[in-house]
Amino acid sequence: MEYLLVKFRENRSVIIDDHEQGKTNEVIELVGGQHSVTLGGKVDYLPTEQTVVINTTSVVSPHEIQFT
Amino acid sequence: MKYNSLNSSMKRLGLLTLCLTLEACSSYILNQPLPSYAPESGYRFPEPGQTKSANSDSLFICLAFSGGGTRAAAFSYGVLEKLRNTQITWKGKKIKLLDEVDCISGISGGSFTAAYYGLFGDRIFEDFRPRFLDRDIQSELFYQLLNPLNWPRLASPKFNRIDLATELYDDTVFDHKTFDNLIHRKNRPYIILHATNLSSGERFEFTQDEFDLLGSDLTTFPVARAVTASSAFPFLLSPVTLKNYPEPQNFKIPKDITNGLSSYRGDRRFWHWAVRQNDYLNKDAKPYVHLMDGGLSDNIGLRALENAFRWGPIRRGISNNLIEKLVIIVVNAKTDDQDAISRDAVPPGLSDVAYKTTTIALDNYSFESIETMRDLTNQRKQVQDTLAVCNSRLNLCHAQNLFPNLSGNIDPVIINLNFELMPDPQRAKYLLSLPTSFSLPENAIDQLIDAGTELLDHSPEFQSLIQELNPPCKAETCP
């Protein structure tokens, strides 16, 4: 399994491949490969969606992305 | 003379009418097209947190019922009975363990028990034995074949032995229920019935997610037809055929499939799954899908749960902090053929070789599936524990920044039940020698049902789970 950290200024749900899966600022365990990532709630962030390719991560060294 | 000729003509006319009537019924049940794509509705694995049910998400229990004819159906029924008779306390509520079961994945013989419980709930304990387990289904099917009324239908290329089996199960076991009835029960467990796609060799799940890719509506599809496909043993029964319709205009390929197709270097399993799912969208090359026994691709039904754990609803339930304790009970009715071929100097004949080449792969795959699931959940636990230890050490050093928390923590329990684990070697030998058949003597059914209870009673994992779920009461709260 692989690990993703979605950084955001507040606590929001993370939407991965159209499904709610985990929270911002926490490490999310998921299957490797390509994923579409966005946030739940009000669309007050940029970019509105990010496509990431995740591999060779670990829980202490996750793939990091940020929404602002 | 004239009277005789008239009488003969009338008989011929009558026979012709009967034949035409029967011919009109000589076509298999066809799946229906999907009027419009609605990813939020239909028979799909419910997302944890999105269903209102007395059954909690925090204790998430899934059962996998293997194939193996009536042997598997009776064994899995025995496990259900034991779970019904087991009281637990979860979040302060005293409940039956069975009422906390969230999903059941059923294959072939095990799919009868899974589907019956999904449709009728606790009624299974009143009438499943006389309606299915105690019957000689094989002879009943054979008599249907011998019935001359069925011959004109069987002469049609679009009606076959499998269709007689569907009719029998639909009339006498499943009461003509469809997947719409499973949706409207609004109760867990969610039932996953599997067959094998004869062309690709892949697992096929009777879920709306899979039917979406066929442009088809699962709600109108008879549950008996899905169970028949799941138990269509090669050579004895013919395949079940589904039509692969054009997609409704509003259809959108789910994002997990589009992303999976680009994940060859990220996760080969995810990519492989996406490629196989995407194959169904090639309507010109594959206008039909032919299905056979689910055991050919996964004889214990664990692969569906593995996918749900890797990238499906179970994964999301964990990451969304909804699932705390994940329990998977594998009810594997595998047998031991007593290895007769190793005692013979003469090389095995064609039928032995054909049988062994089918079943060797099945058994190896089953073993690997269980161990893969165990490894996956163990790895998850190790990751959680390692992160906790790292952060506690950093805390000791008064570190400014700790590692971010993991979304969700689970306590996984994998329980594997099979006849080799029976404490009494004589009973183990007896159960391991039972044939794969849809007709077993009453005594064998009794022993198989009892084996469900006995194996759970002797399972260290199950006993430790029950102890944990029934903590000793404090003096003042003891009854």
Side-chain angles (χ1 to χ4, degrees):
Chain A
M1 299 300 287
E2 301 291 339
Y3 299 88
L4 171 70
L5 178 62
V6 180
K7 291 184 168 177
F8 189 56
R9 58 181 177 268
E10 62 187 42
N11 186 15
R12 288 276 183 97
S13 55
V14 175
I15 314 292
I16 300 175
D17 301 336
D18 282 343
H19 295 284
E20 190 176 326
Q21 187 174 333
K23 299 277 179 212
T24 51
N25 308 313
E26 288 185 346
V27 177
I28 299 166
E29 188 180 67
L30 76 175
V31 70
Q34 182 173 300
H35 297 283
S36 310
V37 185
T38 182
L39 302 182
K42 211 164 112 184
V43 188
D44 55 354
Y45 50 84
L46 284 171
T48 50
E49 183 174 283
Q50 298 190 45
T51 299
V52 293
V53 178
I54 305 172
N55 53 26
T56 58
T57 61
S58 75
V59 70
V60 293
S61 175
H63 183 104
E64 292 186 18
I65 59 170
Q66 183 146 17
F67 286 91
T68 53
Chain B
M1 191 72 176
K2 257 186 177 177
Y3 175 80
N4 278 349
S5 164
L6 185 67
N7 194 21
S8 167
S9 301
M10 288 297 283
K11 276 183 182 167
R12 280 182 195 164
L13 188 65
L15 198 61
L16 183 67
T17 310
L18 181 66
C19 284
L20 287 173
T21 309
L22 292 171
E23 181 64 24
C25 307
S26 304
S27 190
Y28 56 77
I29 298 167
L30 200 58
N31 54 314
Q32 296 302 303
L34 188 64
S36 76
Y37 176 57
E40 302 305 322
S41 64
Y43 193 67
R44 302 173 201 272
F45 204 132
E47 291 290 327
Q50 291 183 5
T51 49
K52 284 182 181 161
S53 164
N55 182 332
S56 76
D57 286 321
S58 47
L59 174 57
F60 204 87
I61 304 176
C62 286
L63 313 177
F65 292 168
S66 80
T70 299
R71 185 185 71 244
F75 183 31
S76 49
Y77 172 83
V79 168
L80 287 182
E81 226 177 41
K82 173 67 181 172
L83 299 182
R84 179 197 56 168
N85 296 336
T86 304
Q87 289 280 329
I88 58 156
T89 305
W90 184 251
K91 306 285 179 193
K93 272 172 64 183
K94 282 200 173 210
I95 42 171
K96 291 181 227 159
L97 191 52
L98 184 58
D99 292 339
E100 272 294 330
V101 172
D102 298 276
C103 65
I104 305 180
S105 171
I107 296 281
S108 197
S111 74
F112 282 86
T113 316
Y116 202 87
Y117 182 63
L119 282 170
F120 304 114
D122 281 353
R123 189 183 121 183
I124 195 171
F125 303 113
E126 292 160 23
D127 62 6
F128 189 56
R129 273 200 76 151
R131 294 196 82 196
F132 181 73
L133 295 179
D134 291 334
R135 280 170 58 189
D136 183 352
I137 296 279
Q138 282 185 197
S139 296
E140 290 180 43
L141 278 173
F142 188 62
Y143 293 140
Q144 293 286 326
L145 281 173
L146 294 182
N147 184 346
L149 282 174
N150 287 323
W151 294 349
R153 298 203 293 164
L154 288 166
S156 160
K158 287 192 170 178
F159 194 87
N160 218 315
R161 302 184 299 283
I162 194 85
D163 304 299
L164 285 179
T166 300
E167 285 180 359
L168 182 70
Y169 304 154
D170 209 16
D171 291 342
T172 65
V173 183
F174 295 109
D175 297 344
H176 305 278
K177 301 285 186 196
T178 63
F179 279 85
D180 196 38
N181 295 106
L182 279 174
I183 295 170
H184 283 98
R185 269 186 61 79
K186 288 185 181 165
N187 256 336
R188 294 190 197 170
Y190 175 69
I191 308 296
I192 314 168
L193 305 175
H194 311 253
T196 301
N197 181 332
L198 201 54
S199 156
S200 65
E202 289 295 309
R203 266 185 330 103
F204 182 92
E205 290 177 13
F206 285 89
T207 63
Q208 188 56 53
D209 292 318
E210 200 101 351
F211 267 56
D212 280 344
L213 304 172
L214 303 181
S216 182
D217 182 3
L218 181 63
T219 54
T220 57
F221 198 74
V223 172
R225 188 71 172 160
V227 170
T228 316
S230 185
S231 56
F233 196 76
F235 308 112
L236 291 180
L237 289 170
S238 40
V240 162
T241 299
L242 300 179
K243 190 167 181 186
N244 191 359
Y245 293 97
E247 292 301 338
Q249 279 194 335
N250 67 333
F251 177 73
K252 272 172 65 183
I253 302 178
K255 271 194 183 157
D256 45 3
I257 295 181
T258 51
N259 282 322
L261 290 171
S262 302
S263 296
Y264 182 78
R265 297 195 188 284
D267 188 298
R268 212 61 63 83
R269 284 190 184 92
F270 186 37
W271 169 81
H272 181 84
W273 169 83
V275 167
R276 291 305 186 201
Q277 297 285 295
N278 196 52
D279 268 356
Y280 290 116
L281 298 174
N282 188 352
K283 309 288 174 177
D284 292 336
K286 295 175 183 181
Y288 293 97
V289 176
H290 303 287
L291 303 173
M292 291 228 71
D293 196 311
L296 296 173
S297 52
D298 172 13
N299 202 35
I300 48 171
L302 201 50
R303 293 276 162 164
L305 304 182
E306 186 191 321
N307 285 359
F309 182 87
R310 285 183 188 276
W311 58 76
I314 296 179
R315 164 65 41 195
R316 296 190 281 272
I318 295 167
S319 295
N320 292 329
N321 224 352
L322 296 165
I323 298 175
E324 293 171 27
K325 187 173 276 294
L326 174 67
V327 181
I328 293 177
I329 303 179
V330 181
V331 186
N332 186 0
K334 81 182 271 292
T335 52
D336 178 0
D337 66 0
Q338 314 300 314
D339 196 15
I341 59 173
S342 297
R343 290 194 291 270
D344 202 337
V346 179
L350 192 62
S351 61
D352 277 340
V353 171
Y355 178 75
K356 287 302 275 183
T357 44
T358 312
T359 54
I360 284 171
L362 282 184
D363 286 343
N364 287 344
Y365 199 45
S366 297
F367 172 78
E368 280 303 324
S369 296
I370 298 168
E371 293 314 304
T372 300
M373 195 71 219
R374 202 190 302 278
D375 289 347
L376 260 177
T377 51
N378 281 346
Q379 278 164 15
R380 168 72 192 200
K381 188 83 172 60
Q382 280 169 1
V383 164
Q384 291 169 187
D385 293 350
T386 305
L387 188 63
V389 169
C390 285
N391 277 336
S392 74
R393 297 263 164 94
L394 286 170
N395 245 335
L396 284 176
C397 306
H398 307 291
Q400 292 283 316
N401 295 316
L402 301 182
F403 290 113
N405 287 330
L406 195 55
S407 254
N409 275 302
I410 54 158
D411 181 14
V413 180
I414 307 286
I415 299 169
N416 179 23
L417 307 176
N418 67 65
F419 303 137
E420 286 167 349
L421 301 170
M422 287 294 286
D424 176 356
Q426 285 307 313
R427 286 198 62 208
K429 193 174 173 189
Y430 171 74
L431 294 168
L432 285 164
S433 69
L434 287 172
T436 298
S437 146
F438 279 116
S439 166
L440 287 177
E442 199 181 327
N443 176 48
I445 302 288
D446 289 340
Q447 293 218 38
L448 285 159
I449 293 172
D450 289 348
T453 295
E454 203 169 334
L455 282 167
L456 282 170
D457 281 342
H458 284 87
S459 157
E461 294 89 357
F462 186 72
Q463 288 312 311
S464 130
L465 173 73
I466 296 309
Q467 273 185 10
E468 193 187 329
L469 297 178
N470 284 309
C473 56
K474 291 172 189 163
E476 64 273 18
T477 59
C478 284

